[in-house]
Amino acid sequence: MKIKNICCIGAGYVGGPTMSVIADKCPNIRVEVVDLNHKRINDWNDDNFDNLPIYEPGLDLVVKRTRNKNLFFMTDVNSAIEKADMIFISVNTPTKLYGKGKGMASDLKYVELCARQIAKVAKSDKIIVEKSTLPVRTADTIKKILENTGNGLKFQILSNPEFLAEGTAIEDLMNPDRILIGGMKNKEGKAAIQSLVDIYSNWVPKDKILTTNVWSSELSKLTANAFLAQRVSSINSISELCESTGAEINELAKAVGADSRIGNKFLNASVGFGGSCFQKDILNLVYIARSYGLDSVADYWEQVIILNDHQKKRFSDIIVKTLFNTVSGKKITLFGWAFKKNTNDSRESPAINVADALLDEQANLIVLDPKVKSSQIYSDLDNLKTRSSDKNKSLLRFESDPYKASKGSHAIAVLTDWDEFIEYDWVKIYHNMEKPAFIFDGRKILDRGKLQKIGFEIFTIGYV
Ligand code: NAD
Ligand code: UGA
């Protein structure tokens, strides 16, 4: 089937950028991105491209080229479903917070709602594409709902997981390492796979488009995220050993990564990995393994999360210990709140845990982040429910000027790897601070030698 109309349900970090690029590369396809969240859709339609709901380098240019030409952001889900030949489900699949599987399994209620709505509204056969990250065999659930509640129409379900990373989403979408499409191996399934292959072939070389059965595709996505997170936990575990032995983590990562079998990417020790997916997807993998009785498999992957929690906790412990075992009433400035640079996303950011631990010790925090809004920072802390919202407001302040933010501080903790932190006038910052002036670099981005010469006491992850 030649696809002319696409609907994408979910205008978030995946749906928005992914559909913008498809619209850009396929001018003959009309792409409608729908969401229940009116504010989000209004922001996607804002005349000022600085107000798009997602910050991604290059995204504004792609949206400028396509919006209201063949890319439309709207809240009318039913009309978009009705028109579409192909529907991408790009809704959130967070960790379940209630009932069976609480704290581990993926909550599929939003995916199920999409399937039910499609079944109710559709008046013609459609190809349904799982873009969200889903537990293996979810396509079965979607198929059952569509077949049992639909109007006797034919639906093909494909799995087409997204591998973009935030901060580099546009680059990743324009030049993906691979596109993965899973489908049924029967005649109709193969035809549906070909329809999606034809879309990606507009800009992705054929040899990078992999087709598999549905279950391999669903499980590959969870596995890829688990492997990536595992590398971060592996290097973070060694960073602690470096701090005890005098081995230096960057020298070590270079030496280890030079082995072409290991490779040099994703070996950057840090205060811990964050983001909306690594933890959620590994917890889900662990849950699935346990549900098949595979406890050794589950225990193996759970360790990646345990190590990450340890890394975040030990970073805040180091701050307290270094500041003479008390931070009560002391001003500590946090540089960075986003879970990585070049995004405004702070979901599961290690900054949240570090801040929470320091607030427990009654520190006064000043937070600076180039893209995360203060309302988001307060809401991240309030969601932990460790203390009242009023208490969080009284102990933490947002500041956009680095020199004002660090004035009178006892310590600065670098929690996100924003490039601009490196360029700050560190001499000026030093003179403004209480002495001894401490820096805790959780991202290894600052020049230790230079800062020590200025007079700072500096702790860097993975260094003595
Ligand atoms: P998100 O929360 O940013 O966006 C999801 C959107 O779906 C929200 O705006 C929500 O309002 C909307 N939505 C939920 N139910 C809906 C419904 N029934 N009808 C219409 N809209 C609905 O989430 P995200 O970060 O874009 O992630 C989406 C999926 O993609 C997840 O499964 C995630 O694991 C996966 N993923 C995310 C990334 C990433 O970098 N964020 C990368 C790869 C894969
Ligand atoms: C990750 C994957 O890289 C994507 O392929 C995947 O599509 C996505 O998850 C998803 O499924 O959501 P993302 O979380 O956006 O992408 O960003 P990453 O670059 O993977 O970084 C994740 C976290 O690990 C960040 O906190 C980052 O700072 C940290 N990290 C990464 C390290 O601490 N060290 C490294 O060497 C690499």
Side-chain angles (χ1 to χ4, degrees):
M1 187 202 286
K2 194 158 172 49
I3 303 300
K4 293 201 188 78
N5 288 294
I6 286 178
C7 158
C8 173
I9 309 182
Y13 282 85
V14 168
T18 309
M19 292 303 128
S20 302
V21 169
I22 289 186
D24 198 31
K25 297 294 184 182
C26 311
N28 297 325
I29 298 180
R30 180 184 169 93
V31 181
E32 296 187 346
V33 188
V34 292
D35 205 295
L36 297 173
N37 182 334
H38 287 241
K39 160 125 183 44
R40 219 168 203 183
I41 292 297
N42 286 342
D43 290 346
W44 278 112
N45 285 320
D46 201 302
D47 289 339
N48 180 353
F49 286 86
D50 289 340
N51 294 339
L52 294 183
I54 288 164
Y55 173 72
E56 275 294 337
L59 173 65
D60 52 348
L61 296 177
V62 183
V63 176
K64 244 181 227 171
R65 285 200 292 269
T66 50
R67 199 179 63 189
N68 298 332
K69 292 194 183 97
N70 65 328
L71 175 70
F72 301 87
F73 293 98
M74 44 206 268
T75 49
D76 190 347
V77 182
N78 286 352
S79 106
I81 290 176
E82 218 183 302
K83 239 183 278 158
D85 319 304
M86 181 177 267
I87 302 175
F88 287 77
I89 298 181
S90 247
V91 298
N92 37 329
T93 50
T95 303
K96 214 174 158 196
L97 297 175
Y98 53 87
K100 198 168 178 299
K102 179 179 173 181
M104 299 292 291
S106 281
D107 191 342
L108 296 181
K109 73 175 169 209
Y110 305 108
V111 174
E112 182 170 339
L113 279 172
C114 290
R116 288 187 185 279
Q117 194 157 4
I118 294 169
K120 204 164 96 190
V121 172
K123 296 202 176 84
S124 57
D125 297 350
K126 297 188 191 300
I127 298 171
I128 312 298
V129 184
E130 298 175 343
K131 195 47 140 172
S132 299
T133 302
L134 297 169
V136 55
R137 297 204 75 88
T138 303
D140 243 355
T141 311
I142 296 178
K143 201 169 171 46
K144 274 199 190 106
I145 292 171
L146 291 172
E147 282 176 357
N148 286 301
T149 54
N151 308 322
L153 301 168
K154 289 207 182 82
F155 295 99
Q156 279 301 318
I157 322 287
L158 300 178
S159 159
N160 172 223
E162 184 48 60
F163 294 99
L164 69 80
E166 289 178 28
T168 54
I170 297 302
E171 174 60 25
D172 295 342
L173 288 165
M174 296 278 188
N175 299 298
D177 284 350
R178 78 315 211 170
I179 294 293
L180 181 57
I181 302 172
M184 294 300 163
K185 294 283 167 108
N186 55 19
K187 190 169 153 243
E188 294 82 8
K190 282 183 185 158
I193 291 176
Q194 191 56 45
S195 302
L196 191 51
V197 169
D198 289 344
I199 291 176
Y200 284 111
S201 300
N202 283 305
W203 77 100
V204 181
K206 287 236 162 40
D207 60 340
K208 288 193 172 181
I209 304 179
L210 313 179
T211 58
T212 64
N213 81 26
V214 189
W215 323 126
S216 309
S217 174
E218 289 177 335
L219 190 55
S220 294
K221 172 61 194 177
L222 291 183
T223 309
N225 271 1
F227 273 48
L228 288 168
Q230 179 200 42
R231 272 177 83 91
V232 180
S233 277
S234 296
I235 198 73
N236 281 346
S237 73
I238 301 298
S239 72
E240 191 170 12
L241 202 50
C242 285
E243 289 158 30
S244 304
T245 58
E248 295 189 357
I249 195 68
N250 279 358
E251 292 184 347
L252 182 142
K254 193 171 175 191
V256 173
D259 186 323
S260 60
R261 293 168 304 174
I262 296 173
N264 59 10
K265 292 186 181 151
F266 254 70
L267 287 178
N268 236 333
S270 66
V271 55
F273 61 73
S276 62
C277 293
F278 278 178
Q279 175 166 306
K280 152 179 95 68
D281 292 346
I282 294 180
L283 289 173
N284 188 217
L285 189 66
V286 170
Y287 181 76
I288 293 169
R290 281 209 206 290
S291 68
Y292 285 101
L294 309 177
D295 284 338
S296 300
V297 177
D299 291 347
Y300 177 78
W301 287 107
E302 194 159 33
Q303 198 57 37
V304 174
I305 302 286
I306 293 172
L307 200 288
N308 195 49
D309 288 341
H310 169 69
Q311 188 78 348
K312 293 185 276 188
K313 170 86 173 57
R314 78 180 189 85
F315 189 78
S316 50
D317 286 349
I318 287 169
I319 296 179
V320 176
K321 191 165 164 225
T322 312
L323 294 182
F324 317 108
N325 287 316
T326 177
V327 293
S328 177
K330 289 181 183 167
K331 224 172 128 175
I332 301 177
T333 303
L334 308 184
F335 279 175
W337 192 263
F339 80 97
K340 63 186 284 200
K341 70 176 175 181
N342 294 335
T343 177
N344 60 347
D345 193 350
S346 61
R347 290 178 289 179
E348 303 295 339
S349 177
I352 302 170
N353 304 84
V354 171
D356 190 50
L358 294 174
L359 291 176
D360 266 349
E361 295 288 336
Q362 301 181 346
N364 287 313
L365 301 183
I366 298 95
V367 182
L368 172 151
D369 189 283
K371 291 290 172 198
V372 183
K373 295 195 173 124
S374 59
S375 54
Q376 184 61 49
I377 294 172
Y378 288 121
S379 123
D380 288 339
L381 278 173
D382 291 350
N383 286 341
L384 294 179
K385 298 192 168 59
T386 314
R387 62 193 74 70
S388 72
S389 179
D390 286 345
K391 190 83 183 154
N392 282 329
K393 283 221 168 60
S394 73
L395 290 173
L396 183 144
R397 175 165 75 75
F398 183 80
E399 177 58 73
S400 53
D401 177 273
Y403 308 104
K404 283 189 194 150
S406 52
K407 196 169 167 46
S409 276
H410 291 258
I412 291 172
V414 177
L415 300 178
T416 310
D417 48 344
W418 286 104
D419 291 337
E420 63 186 75
F421 296 161
I422 304 167
E423 308 302 328
Y424 287 167
D425 181 345
W426 285 94
V427 174
K428 187 169 167 186
I429 289 177
Y430 177 76
H431 288 303
N432 267 339
M433 287 176 65
E434 293 291 326
K435 306 295 175 319
F438 292 96
I439 295 181
F440 299 90
D441 186 356
R443 295 290 184 167
K444 300 189 291 84
I445 55 171
L446 301 178
D447 183 334
R448 286 163 57 78
K450 199 172 117 192
L451 293 173
Q452 276 161 345
K453 250 192 223 140
I454 294 172
F456 283 106
E457 303 271 340
I458 177 158
F459 164 81
T460 308
I461 284 282
Y463 288 80
V464 173

